[in-house]
Amino acid sequence: MDAGDERLDPVRNFTLTGFRLEQEAWRQFASAEDSQVIFNCFFNTQDYSHLFIHQQDGARLSIGLDFPQNVRTKVICVSKTAREVVTKENVRNILIIQEVQGEDAKTFIISVSEEVTCPLLSNHGTSRSWAVGLAEEALRFMERQRNEALVMKAQIDGRTFLAYPDAFRDDCLYDNALHDDSFQGDTEGRKWLDTQLLHACDSTIMEWVKLVSEVLQQDSSQLVLDGLEPLPSEEFNFWRSRLRNLHFIQEQLMSSRAQQVLSIAQRAESVYLSSLRDLHTDVQKGLDEAEDVARNLKPVQQELEKLQQMKYHQLGNNMAAVMEEVRLVWIKSEFYCRPCRVVVLLQEICTLFIQMSRSFLLGKDLMRTLGSEPGQKMEDVTLVIWTLNSLKEAFRLCRTQVEVDQRQDGDTRSWDFPSYLVFFRLDHFLLHLQGIQEVFSVSLQLHQLDRTASVGGRMWTDAIQEVYQDFLCHVTVLCDLTCDPTNPDDQSFLKHLSQFWVQVSDLERRLASVLSRAFEDCCISSSGAKLVKMFGFILDRPLIHDQLRPYLVRLEEMVLEELDQIESLFFSERKESDTFCMFTPSHAAGLCWSQQLRRRAETTLNHHRTLQQLDGLRTEWSSLLDSDCGFILEQPVIQKNQQGMLGVNCSNTLHVVLRELRYVSRKTDLELRPNAARLFTCRDDITRSYLSLSHMVSCYKQVVGGVLTEDFSLIQDQLQDLDLNQNLSELHRYTWGSEGLQQQVEQNRDMVLLLHSTVSQARANMDAMTRIIQGWAKLHLLERSGESLLEVRDMEQSYRHIREEGEELLRLTQVNRSLYGAKDSSESWIMYLEHLDDKVQDGLFQLALRSMHFLLDNMNPQSCCTFVTVSLQLRETGSVFEPSVGVGLSDLLQTIISDIYTATSLPLRISVSRHSNYQVSLQQSSDLSALQQEVKNRLLQVREEAERLLTRLDRYSYLWLSDRKRVMQEFLTYSRQLGPEELEAEETPPTLNDFQREINSLNTLREEVDHLDDVILLHSWLQVDLRAFKGSLLSVVYKWRHLYTDYLLHSVSESLQQVTRHCDDDVGPASLSSFPLTETIILLEAAGVQLPDHLSAQLQC
C-alpha cells in the first residue's frame, strides 16, 4: 500500500495533528515495510476492525492491530463501522478516528473521575462560591470523559459497556427522588425530578436493549456468509469472547445502579419495564448457550492444537480423532447440535487443513523442482491428497456412526445435510492438487526421455531429443512462475496449466508418431520388445497407448509365434537327434543345442513378460480410472462457487474421465472395474446430461449473473412463478450416478431456457429502447448553416421522429410486460416503469441540454463565430435593427427554446404513477433553467453592445434629422449654420470659399461613411449588416451635397443667361451675380459636377 494512498489521508491528518509531527516523519513511518503490511491488512481485508497508532520512545511511531500494552501516552484508534474493505469512496463514512489514552492513563482517568473529581464536584459546599451552573457543567464533562474511557476500554477488551443515566452521578439526587421528605411542599419540583429520572431511565433501558441485542444477534457463521475463509480458532475465539462479554453484561445488569434503574422503572410503571425484564432473560439464555458451546468445543480445540504440532505425514492417521470430537459436540451440546453450526465448524476445519497443506507444499516453491527432480515434490503432493481424503473418509465414518446413534437413541439427530456443503472448498482444492499431481507424473515420465538409447537410427533419436528439449522449455515456464500454484483460485496459474496440457498433448502426439514409425521398422520380436522396454514408462499415457495399440498387438502376436516356433523346433529336433553336427559327439552337440534353444526361449519369455507389464500398467490405470469414476458418481451435478454463482460440478474431471472412457470403448479386451463399468454404461446419458447442464448453467448465469437493477424484481418474480429456485435446489441433491438425472436435468433445462429466452428478448428490447433514448441525446434540433449562421431545422420532421420513437418505446414496454408476465399493478412492474421513465426523462433532458448548450456555445463571446444576423436600416425616425435586437431577437430565441421544450413533450409518459408530461418535469430542472437564464443574460449583453453601436452612429443623426431647406437658408443668410444658442447673427452672404468649405466637408463625410464596415460582429456572435444603413446614409450625404452644388449650378445658369441677353452686370439678383462665373465653374468641376449640355453650349458661344 503506497504511502501516498488517498485512503490514508484522514489517518495521516489526525496523526500529524495529534502527535504534532512533520510530514517527513509520517512519510518514513508509512513507507516502512511493517507499516505497509499492517495498513494492507486493515484497509484491504475484512478481517480487522481496529488499527492503533502510538508513539514509542524517541517519538517514533508504532502501529498495530491490537491495543498496545503498557502504553502511558495517548493512542490513536482507527475503527471501522462495518466489516468491509476500505475504498476511496467509503473511507470518509466507514472510519471513526479518535484519540484515547494508553492503558495506564485510561485506568487513571477512570479512577480519578470516580473517586476524586466527580464526588468533589457533586459536593455543594465545595462549589458554593463558583458561578451558577459551572459545577454542574464540569461534572457533566467529567462524567462524559469517564464514560468514554469505560466504553473504549470495554471495546478494546471485546466487551460491551452499559452506560448509566447522567442523573445518577449524584447519589443524593436519587435519594431525594425516593424519600417522601424530599421536596416537601414543592409538588412541581418533585414532578420535575421524577420526570427527569424516568426519562433518563427509559433512555438508558432503550440503549441497553439495543446494545445487548447487537451482541446476541452476532453469529459465528457471519464470516463464512461474508465469503471469508475463517479458521476454527475464529469459532473458538467467538464463543469464548461471547461468554466473557455476556458475563460482563450480566454483572452490569446486577449492579446497584442497574437495580436503581429497575426500581425507578417499577415505581413509575414504565412501559420499558417489560423490555428490561426480557433483557435479563435474554442475557441469561445467551449465557447458558455460550457456556454450553464453549465447554463442548474445548476438546475439539485441544485436538486440533495437537494436530497442528504434529508433522504433516502424521495427520492422516489422526483425522478420525478430530471427527470423533466433532461428533461428541453434536451429541453432548444442547445448542450446537444444529446443521448450520456443525457445517460452519467443519468448513473451518477444512480451511485449516487446506492452509496446513499449502504451508507443507511451500506454496510458490512447489514447482521449482519440476525441471530437475520432481519425484520428491510429487510424493509430497500425493501425501497431501491422501491426507485430505482421509479427512473425508473420517467424516463419512463419523456420519455413519451418528446414524447408528440415531437409530439406537432417538434423541440424536442425524447429519442429514449434504456433504458438499462441508467439502465444496476442499473438493475444489483436491481437484486442483490432482491436476498438479498429474503435472509431476507426466514430468517424471518425460524426464526419462533423456536417458533413452538410440531408436532405429539417428533420425528417430534426434526427433525424441527434440521432443525432450521442447518439454524442458515448457517445464521451465512453470518453474519460473511467481504465483502460488497451491491457490486454486489463482487464474494466472490455471491459465499456464491449461496451456501446459495443450503442449503436453502435442508432445505426446509427436512421440507416438516417432514410436509408430519405429515399431513399423521392427521385423523381429526382440527389437520390438527392446522398444517396449526402453519406452515402457511412457506407453501407459492414454493418447500414446491408443495410437500404438495396433503395433503392440502385432508385437504380442510375433512373440507368441516365436514361442510356437521354439516349441516346434524343440519337438522336431528331438525326434531327429541324428541331425547334429558330425564333427561333434552327439550327446555334447545335443546338450549345446538344448542350451541355445533354452536361452532363446527365455529371451522370448522375457519379451512376453515385458508386454505383460504393460497389461499391469493398464490394470493400474484401470484402478485409477475406477477411483475417478467412483468420485464422479458421488459428486452433486451442480454447486455454487464462493461468489454464489451456479456451476457444473467436477466439469474438468468429468471431461477427462469421459475422454478416457472413449478410449476404453475402442478396446474389447479391457475389463473395467465396477464404478468405471457403471459410468461406462451410462456415459451417453451422463454426456447428454453434462451438455444439457452446461447449457442450462450458462443460460442461468446470463440471466442471474447479468441481472440489471431494473429487471431484478421481475426476474425474481418469474423464478418464483416457475418454482425454478426450488427445482434447482432439488437438482443439488442429484449426483452424477443418481437415477432419473437426465429427466430432471431436461425438465430444469427447459424452464431455464424458457426464462433465458424471455429475459434475453426483454433485455434486447431494453437495449433497443436505450438506443432510442441515447439517440435523442445525439439529435440535432439546431444546426449551423453553410454560412455559419443559425438554422432551425425542420421541426416538424424532428417532432415526427421523436413522436414515433416515443410510440415505439410504449410498444416495447408492453412487449416486455407480456414477456415478464407482470401485472400492471405489481410493485416490481411499477418500479420497472419508473426506472425506464427516468431513463426516458434523462434522454430528453440530454436532448434539451444539448440544444441549450448549442445556443450558449454559439453565443459565447470567445467563439468569434457568427450565430445570428440582423440588418441596420435607416428609417425616417432614425436607425433601427431588423429584426429588432430587443424584442425581435428575444422572440426568436424564446421561440427556439419553446421549440426545444415542445420536443420533450412529444413522447407519452412511461410511468403510470407520474401524471405530468416530460416537458413539465424538465422545465423544473435547475440545470436547464440556469442555461435558459444564461441565454437571456447573453442576449442582454449583446443588446447593450448594439445600443452602444447605435450611440456611435448617432454622430451622423443630424444628417437625417436636420431640415435641409432651413439649414440652406441659414447658410445663404449667414454663410454658416447657426448654433442652437444663436438667436440672431450678422447677415453675411456666403462666398465661393464658404461653398467650397461645405462641399469639402460633405465629401470628407461621404468618404468616412463609405469606409464604415459592411458587417460588424457584436459580442462575437451577433452579426450586424451595415450595408443598407451605409447606402441610406450616403444617399442623405449626397442630398446635402446636391443642395450646395445645385445652388451653384443655378447661379451659373443665371449668369450665362444674363451674358447671353447682353444685360448689364449690375442687373439681377445679388445672390446670383455675386459669384464670378469662371471661379464658380472651376469649383463645380473640382467637386465633380458636370455642367449640363445646354450650359456647356452657351459657354462655347
Side-chain angles (χ1 to χ4, degrees):
M1 188 174 182
D2 187 14
D5 196 310
E6 295 180 12
R7 295 176 293 174
L8 289 176
D9 290 349
V11 181
R12 182 186 68 246
N13 296 336
F14 199 96
T15 304
L16 294 179
T17 304
F19 292 121
R20 299 180 181 179
L21 299 174
E22 299 294 334
Q23 290 282 353
E24 181 61 24
W26 169 265
R27 190 190 63 78
Q28 294 178 358
F29 161 70
S31 301
E33 183 177 355
D34 295 342
S35 302
Q36 291 283 317
V37 172
I38 295 177
F39 277 135
N40 275 322
C41 292
F42 179 75
F43 281 89
N44 297 331
T45 68
Q46 304 174 355
D47 300 338
Y48 302 97
S49 300
H50 301 285
L51 181 72
F52 302 95
I53 302 175
H54 68 282
Q55 276 188 318
Q56 293 182 335
D57 297 337
R60 187 171 61 88
L61 291 178
S62 180
I63 188 172
L65 297 171
D66 298 316
F67 193 86
Q69 302 296 321
N70 302 322
V71 175
R72 298 180 180 274
T73 59
K74 58 187 175 185
V75 178
I76 292 178
C77 176
V78 185
S79 303
K80 295 180 186 177
T81 59
R83 278 184 173 269
E84 297 179 11
V85 174
V86 180
T87 63
K88 295 179 182 178
E89 291 74 20
N90 67 5
V91 63
R92 299 289 179 181
N93 300 324
I94 198 175
L95 293 185
I96 297 177
I97 308 176
Q98 50 189 333
E99 185 180 286
V100 299
Q101 296 297 325
E103 185 177 358
D104 296 339
K106 181 166 68 270
T107 305
F108 175 76
I109 288 176
I110 296 172
S111 301
V112 170
S113 298
E114 291 180 342
E115 300 176 11
V116 180
T117 310
C118 290
L120 186 63
L121 292 173
S122 301
N123 190 341
H124 296 291
T126 305
S127 58
R128 185 176 302 167
S129 60
W130 292 11
V132 177
L134 180 60
E136 288 77 4
E137 182 63 28
L139 182 58
R140 282 193 293 270
F141 173 76
M142 291 305 301
E143 282 287 340
R144 285 196 300 270
Q145 290 286 81
R146 182 182 66 86
N147 285 339
E148 289 178 2
L150 288 170
V151 170
M152 181 57 63
K153 188 174 187 302
Q155 287 179 350
I156 293 170
D157 295 338
R159 298 183 296 177
T160 302
F161 176 74
L162 304 180
Y164 299 107
D166 292 340
F168 285 3
R169 68 177 181 269
D170 190 354
D171 292 335
C172 66
L173 186 62
Y174 170 72
D175 294 338
N176 291 336
L178 295 181
H179 294 87
D180 294 335
D181 295 337
S182 303
F183 292 98
Q184 289 182 355
D186 188 0
T187 306
E188 295 296 329
R190 165 167 285 283
K191 289 182 178 179
W192 175 85
L193 180 60
D194 290 344
T195 302
Q196 292 294 316
L197 283 174
L198 181 59
H199 177 70
C201 291
D202 288 347
S203 301
T204 300
I205 293 173
M206 292 172 60
E207 183 65 23
W208 288 358
V209 170
K210 177 183 176 182
L211 291 173
V212 175
S213 297
E214 291 177 355
V215 173
L216 295 176
Q217 288 174 3
Q218 293 174 356
D219 199 318
S220 61
S221 63
Q222 189 59 46
L223 295 178
V224 177
L225 296 176
D226 291 340
L228 302 179
E229 300 173 3
L231 297 174
S233 58
E234 297 280 350
E235 185 81 7
F236 306 142
N237 293 336
F238 172 83
W239 288 105
R240 187 166 53 249
S241 300
R242 186 186 183 94
L243 178 61
R244 184 174 62 249
N245 192 20
L246 288 175
H247 271 303
F248 181 64
I249 291 174
Q250 190 179 53
E251 290 174 2
Q252 295 177 87
L253 291 176
M254 300 304 295
S255 66
S256 59
R257 292 199 172 184
Q259 295 303 311
Q260 290 176 6
V261 173
L262 176 61
S263 176
I264 293 174
Q266 289 175 336
R267 181 168 171 264
E269 297 181 354
S270 171
V271 295
Y272 296 102
L273 180 60
S274 60
S275 299
L276 183 57
R277 289 171 177 167
D278 292 341
L279 182 62
H280 281 269
T281 303
D282 293 341
V283 170
Q284 185 59 48
K285 290 181 178 178
L287 197 57
D288 294 341
E289 178 191 33
E291 288 176 345
D292 173 80
V293 173
R295 181 178 62 256
N296 287 287
L297 284 181
K298 188 66 176 178
V300 181
Q301 181 181 2
Q302 293 173 349
E303 192 64 38
L304 288 175
E305 289 174 351
K306 288 181 183 177
L307 286 181
Q308 289 177 273
Q309 300 301 321
M310 295 180 182
K311 294 183 178 180
Y312 193 87
H313 64 83
Q314 298 174 323
L315 296 181
N317 297 323
N318 291 276
M319 293 296 185
V322 176
M323 282 299 169
E324 178 62 19
E325 295 297 340
V326 176
R327 185 182 71 86
L328 292 177
V329 172
W330 178 266
I331 295 174
K332 295 179 180 179
S333 176
E334 178 185 356
F335 299 95
Y336 211 78
C337 55
R338 302 175 188 172
C340 59
R341 287 186 170 173
V342 172
V343 166
V344 168
L345 177 61
L346 292 173
Q347 285 181 358
E348 292 170 344
I349 292 175
C350 291
T351 302
L352 173 63
F353 285 114
I354 289 174
Q355 188 181 86
M356 294 174 66
S357 301
R358 293 180 62 183
S359 300
F360 173 71
L361 295 175
L362 300 179
K364 295 182 179 180
D365 295 333
L366 177 61
M367 310 300 288
R368 301 294 185 205
T369 60
L370 192 62
S372 55
E373 295 294 335
Q376 181 60 44
K377 285 297 180 182
M378 182 178 174
E379 292 178 2
D380 293 342
V381 174
T382 304
L383 174 62
V384 170
I385 293 175
W386 174 81
T387 302
L388 297 181
N389 282 322
S390 300
L391 175 63
K392 296 182 66 176
E393 179 64 20
F395 168 81
R396 188 185 64 79
L397 295 175
C398 189
R399 169 182 259 181
T400 303
Q401 184 61 41
V402 170
E403 292 176 354
V404 172
D405 296 340
Q406 196 267 341
R407 287 193 295 269
Q408 294 175 354
D409 182 7
D411 295 336
T412 304
R413 297 175 56 189
S414 62
W415 285 358
D416 54 356
F417 49 85
S419 60
Y420 71 84
L421 292 178
V422 176
F423 297 114
F424 72 94
R425 287 197 68 253
L426 187 69
D427 287 339
H428 184 47
F429 184 66
L430 275 172
L431 288 174
H432 186 70
L433 286 184
Q434 288 170 0
I436 295 177
Q437 184 186 36
E438 184 65 16
V439 170
F440 278 98
S441 175
V442 73
S443 297
L444 276 173
Q445 292 173 331
L446 294 178
H447 266 299
Q448 298 181 51
L449 292 176
D450 191 39
R451 295 191 289 270
T452 57
S454 299
V455 184
R458 182 172 180 81
M459 180 178 64
W460 307 132
T461 303
D462 292 344
I464 290 177
Q465 287 301 312
E466 183 180 352
V467 169
Y468 176 70
Q469 294 301 323
D470 290 344
F471 160 72
L472 290 181
C473 294
H474 301 329
V475 166
T476 303
V477 174
L478 289 182
C479 292
D480 295 340
L481 292 179
T482 58
C483 57
D484 185 358
T486 62
N487 183 5
D489 298 323
D490 192 334
Q491 296 300 321
S492 62
F493 177 74
L494 295 177
K495 180 179 177 181
H496 284 93
L497 195 60
S498 176
Q499 184 178 2
F500 175 76
W501 284 121
V502 172
Q503 294 164 345
V504 166
S505 297
D506 179 66
L507 295 178
E508 288 180 348
R509 280 189 290 270
R510 290 165 58 187
L511 274 176
S513 177
V514 172
L515 293 177
S516 296
R517 284 176 281 181
F519 275 113
E520 287 178 356
D521 294 342
C522 294
C523 299
I524 57 176
S525 61
S526 59
S527 59
K530 182 180 179 182
L531 274 176
V532 171
K533 188 173 182 179
M534 290 173 57
F535 293 96
F537 60 87
I538 202 70
L539 294 180
D540 63 328
R541 299 293 300 172
L543 191 149
I544 295 177
H545 191 277
D546 185 62
Q547 190 167 342
L548 296 181
R549 176 65 181 167
Y551 302 103
L552 296 176
V553 171
R554 186 171 68 86
L555 178 60
E556 189 171 6
E557 293 174 352
M558 292 171 62
V559 171
L560 294 177
E561 290 176 0
E562 180 75 13
L563 289 174
D564 291 341
Q565 291 176 5
I566 293 173
E567 183 180 10
S568 300
L569 183 60
F570 174 76
F571 286 109
S572 63
E573 293 298 334
R574 181 176 166 185
K575 294 178 181 178
E576 301 176 3
S577 56
D578 297 336
T579 59
F580 295 119
C581 180
M582 65 180 65
F583 302 104
T584 306
S586 58
H587 295 289
L591 180 61
C592 183
W593 177 84
S594 298
Q595 291 177 348
Q596 292 177 356
L597 189 63
R598 180 180 179 179
R599 285 195 295 270
R600 181 179 173 186
E602 289 177 349
T603 302
T604 306
L605 286 173
N606 287 336
H607 295 163
H608 189 263
R609 295 190 189 98
T610 301
L611 292 175
Q612 287 182 329
Q613 288 179 1
L614 283 180
D615 293 333
L617 292 175
R618 290 167 60 192
T619 303
E620 182 181 355
W621 169 79
S622 177
S623 176
L624 291 176
L625 177 61
D626 186 73
S627 176
D628 291 340
C629 290
F631 174 78
I632 288 292
L633 291 171
E634 294 177 357
Q635 293 300 307
V637 293
I638 59 173
Q639 68 175 8
K640 291 185 178 180
N641 58 18
Q642 295 179 350
Q643 289 75 32
M645 293 302 296
L646 202 65
V648 180
N649 191 24
C650 301
S651 57
N652 293 331
T653 306
L654 180 63
H655 179 72
V656 172
V657 169
L658 291 176
R659 184 184 62 187
E660 293 186 355
L661 288 176
R662 284 198 299 272
Y663 296 146
V664 171
S665 64
R666 303 170 189 171
K667 304 171 184 178
T668 58
D669 58 340
L670 182 62
E671 182 178 357
L672 294 176
R673 306 284 178 92
N675 291 325
R678 179 185 171 192
L679 188 57
F680 180 78
T681 303
C682 57
R683 69 186 187 282
D684 294 335
D685 293 338
I686 290 181
T687 301
R688 284 192 291 269
S689 299
Y690 171 73
L691 295 176
S692 298
L693 277 173
S694 299
H695 190 197
M696 183 192 76
V697 168
S698 176
C699 294
Y700 185 81
K701 286 181 178 179
Q702 292 177 25
V703 171
V704 180
V707 66
L708 305 176
T709 304
E710 60 270 20
D711 60 3
F712 176 77
S713 299
L714 293 172
I715 292 176
Q716 290 297 323
D717 292 344
Q718 281 208 315
L719 290 174
Q720 186 175 358
D721 293 341
L722 295 173
D723 292 333
L724 190 56
N725 287 330
Q726 182 178 357
N727 291 332
L728 291 177
S729 298
E730 293 178 0
L731 191 59
H732 274 87
R733 292 193 286 270
Y734 278 80
T735 66
W736 291 106
S738 299
E739 294 183 2
L741 172 63
Q742 186 175 356
Q743 181 180 359
Q744 183 72 14
V745 169
E746 294 294 336
Q747 179 183 351
N748 283 276
R749 186 197 65 175
D750 293 341
M751 289 190 293
V752 171
L753 292 183
L754 176 62
L755 177 63
H756 177 263
S757 175
T758 299
V759 173
S760 298
Q761 187 176 352
R763 288 177 180 171
N765 292 340
M766 175 59 76
D767 292 339
M769 290 188 281
T770 301
R771 286 192 296 271
I772 290 175
I773 295 170
Q774 292 174 348
W776 289 345
K778 300 177 182 179
L779 184 62
H780 295 277
L781 291 178
L782 307 175
E783 285 187 345
R784 301 182 64 86
S785 69
E787 298 178 357
S788 299
L789 302 180
L790 174 65
E791 176 184 343
V792 181
R793 299 190 65 189
D794 184 0
M795 282 297 180
E796 286 303 323
Q797 181 180 355
S798 298
Y799 288 171
R800 184 171 60 256
H801 178 71
I802 294 174
R803 190 181 297 108
E804 290 174 353
E805 289 187 331
E807 294 173 353
E808 179 66 10
L809 288 179
L810 286 176
R811 188 190 68 80
L812 292 174
T813 302
Q814 292 305 314
V815 171
N816 279 7
R817 186 187 67 79
S818 300
L819 290 172
Y820 285 122
K823 297 181 180 179
D824 291 333
S825 58
S826 67
E827 183 179 355
S828 55
W829 178 247
I830 292 175
M831 291 174 58
Y832 182 82
L833 291 181
E834 289 180 352
H835 174 83
L836 183 57
D837 189 82
D838 290 338
K839 293 183 70 173
V840 173
Q841 182 167 318
D842 183 67
L844 294 173
F845 172 78
Q846 296 298 330
L847 170 65
L849 191 68
R850 180 187 182 91
S851 301
M852 289 291 189
H853 276 300
F854 177 85
L855 283 177
L856 284 176
D857 291 343
N858 286 278
M859 295 173 71
N860 188 351
Q862 307 298 327
S863 64
C864 297
C865 188
T866 302
F867 182 51
V868 179
T869 299
V870 296
S871 176
L872 184 63
Q873 303 285 342
L874 185 58
R875 304 296 184 191
E876 293 181 357
T877 56
S879 56
V880 294
F881 290 102
E882 289 187 0
S884 172
V885 175
V887 178
L889 188 56
S890 177
D891 290 345
L892 172 64
L893 294 177
Q894 188 59 44
T895 300
I896 294 174
I897 293 174
S898 298
D899 290 342
I900 294 172
Y901 279 116
T902 300
T904 63
S905 69
L906 298 176
L908 296 178
R909 197 91 202 197
I910 299 293
S911 174
V912 295
S913 60
R914 300 170 182 174
H915 302 293
S916 60
N917 61 27
Y918 293 110
Q919 178 181 355
V920 176
S921 301
L922 292 178
Q923 284 178 333
Q924 298 173 358
S925 169
S926 58
D927 294 337
L928 293 178
S929 298
L931 294 177
Q932 188 174 351
Q933 184 60 42
E934 183 63 21
V935 170
K936 294 179 180 179
N937 293 339
R938 294 187 181 180
L939 178 61
L940 181 61
Q941 293 170 358
V942 81
R943 184 187 301 173
E944 293 174 353
E945 192 168 348
E947 290 175 355
R948 287 194 292 271
L949 172 63
L950 292 180
T951 301
R952 292 197 302 271
L953 296 177
D954 278 348
R955 68 180 185 271
Y956 304 114
S957 61
Y958 69 92
L959 294 172
W960 63 80
L961 294 177
S962 299
D963 185 357
R964 287 192 294 274
K965 291 182 180 180
R966 184 185 59 80
V967 172
M968 188 63 184
Q969 187 60 42
E970 288 181 355
F971 176 75
L972 294 176
T973 304
Y974 304 106
S975 69
R976 60 186 177 84
Q977 184 178 357
L978 297 179
E981 297 180 354
E982 292 183 282
L983 298 178
E984 293 183 358
E986 182 180 357
E987 294 184 3
T988 306
T991 63
L992 284 178
N993 289 334
D994 294 329
F995 275 95
Q996 185 176 7
R997 183 191 71 234
E998 294 298 329
I999 291 172
N1000 290 340
S1001 175
L1002 290 171
N1003 287 337
T1004 301
L1005 186 60
R1006 177 181 57 79
E1007 292 178 359
E1008 180 181 338
V1009 172
D1010 192 53
H1011 283 84
L1012 288 176
D1013 293 331
D1014 291 339
V1015 176
I1016 295 178
L1017 200 60
L1018 299 183
H1019 220 260
S1020 300
W1021 61 269
L1022 179 63
Q1023 178 176 287
V1024 180
D1025 189 350
L1026 293 178
R1027 288 175 293 185
F1029 175 79
K1030 284 174 58 178
S1032 299
L1033 186 57
L1034 286 173
S1035 177
V1036 173
V1037 172
Y1038 278 118
K1039 289 180 180 179
W1040 280 97
R1041 186 171 177 274
H1042 290 159
L1043 192 65
Y1044 293 99
T1045 56
D1046 288 349
Y1047 183 85
L1048 292 176
L1049 281 174
H1050 185 68
S1051 174
V1052 170
S1053 177
E1054 288 293 330
S1055 298
L1056 287 176
Q1057 288 178 4
Q1058 291 179 7
V1059 171
T1060 303
R1061 289 195 302 264
H1062 302 283
C1063 293
D1064 237 359
D1065 290 341
D1066 296 332
V1067 180
S1071 61
L1072 294 177
S1073 61
S1074 60
F1075 303 132
L1077 180 60
T1078 304
E1079 293 180 1
T1080 300
I1081 293 173
I1082 293 173
L1083 176 58
L1084 289 171
E1085 290 177 350
V1089 179
Q1090 297 293 329
L1091 294 178
D1093 293 340
H1094 68 279
L1095 294 181
S1096 298
Q1098 289 180 6
L1099 284 174
Q1100 291 176 0
C1101 293

